[in-house]
Amino acid sequence: MLIFWEQRLVFLATPKTGTTAIETALESLAAASIQRPPLLKHTSVESYRRFIGPYLEAASGEPFTVVALMREPRAWLGSWYRHRQRDDIVEAAKSTAHVTFDEFVRAYALDPRPEFAAVGSQAAFLDATNGQGLDRLFRYEEIGRFIDFLEERLGCEIILPRLNVSPAAPLDLSPETEDLVRRTMARDLALYASLD
């Protein structure tokens, strides 16, 4: 999470949407950069609106614009799968080295999910049940629009480094598993489709 005090802007770090590169590029411009522990780095919109937002707005006397990125849901699952294929995964139960992407997606659809497929949901991260959501949500696949927005708000050129890139891996799914993705991720897919 990055907080830009003077610009009254907050960037929430949706997992697996290039947040490490964004935080690296913009940390020096932010009044506050929360990158550790992951629980705080990846503060959801609901937690922000409940705990952090009221404090910032009370201290500044003004509302903050809250923005985030969202990745296409199937690609987001693919990113998690590839991320957990890395050799440096400390907890063996979270590794996907022993499963195919198809098996990973089928495990993601289970309730409860096994540890290697317990990666949450972008919709749960980005939607607030109290009705106070994000002010702007950008598609990760159109990151140029997000960078244009930031450059205008922050008044500077932004060049993102390429960081935290996951290893390549096949992301093939059977037709049955593709259908399972559509059912399991219906809320995520609807939110992504609603973005302009």
Side-chain angles (χ1 to χ4, degrees), residues 20-187:
T20 301
I22 292 165
E23 289 169 338
T24 299
L26 300 179
E27 180 180 18
S28 65
L29 301 173
S33 172
I34 303 171
Q35 296 187 40
R36 287 175 286 294
L39 178 67
L40 293 180
K41 172 184 176 169
H42 298 295
T43 296
S44 70
V45 68
E46 186 155 356
S47 293
Y48 171 82
R49 293 290 188 191
R50 186 171 175 200
F51 301 109
I52 300 167
Y55 172 73
L56 291 177
E57 294 184 11
S60 70
E62 296 178 305
F64 278 64
T65 301
V66 183
V67 300
L69 287 164
M70 181 180 192
R71 195 172 195 151
E72 190 282 321
R74 187 188 185 283
W76 181 79
L77 280 181
S79 183
W80 269 114
Y81 171 74
R82 290 184 295 109
H83 175 76
R84 290 187 169 188
Q85 292 260 304
R86 296 182 347 254
D87 292 333
D88 63 346
I89 295 293
V90 177
E91 297 177 51
K94 291 188 176 182
S95 173
T96 58
H98 61 289
V99 297
T100 66
F101 183 53
D102 198 272
E103 291 167 330
F104 172 77
V105 172
R106 283 187 275 124
Y108 179 80
L110 296 174
D111 184 18
R113 295 176 180 137
E115 275 193 74
F116 69 87
V119 297
S121 158
Q122 289 181 101
F125 182 88
L126 297 166
D127 271 352
T129 57
N130 64 7
Q132 291 183 307
L134 294 159
D135 296 301
R136 295 283 304 270
L137 181 57
F138 295 85
R139 290 176 188 239
Y140 169 84
E141 290 76 11
E142 297 171 1
I143 200 163
R145 293 180 68 196
F146 179 60
I147 297 304
D148 290 345
F149 168 83
L150 288 177
E151 287 180 342
E152 185 175 319
R153 283 296 291 263
L154 302 177
C156 65
E157 181 183 19
I158 297 168
I159 299 171
L160 295 182
R162 192 163 159 77
L163 299 170
N164 201 23
V165 178
S166 299
L171 299 177
D172 302 319
L173 295 177
S174 69
E176 296 80 16
T177 307
E178 287 280 7
D179 186 54
L180 187 59
V181 167
R182 286 189 288 278
R183 290 192 319 268
T184 304
M185 302 189 84
R187 186 173 165 212

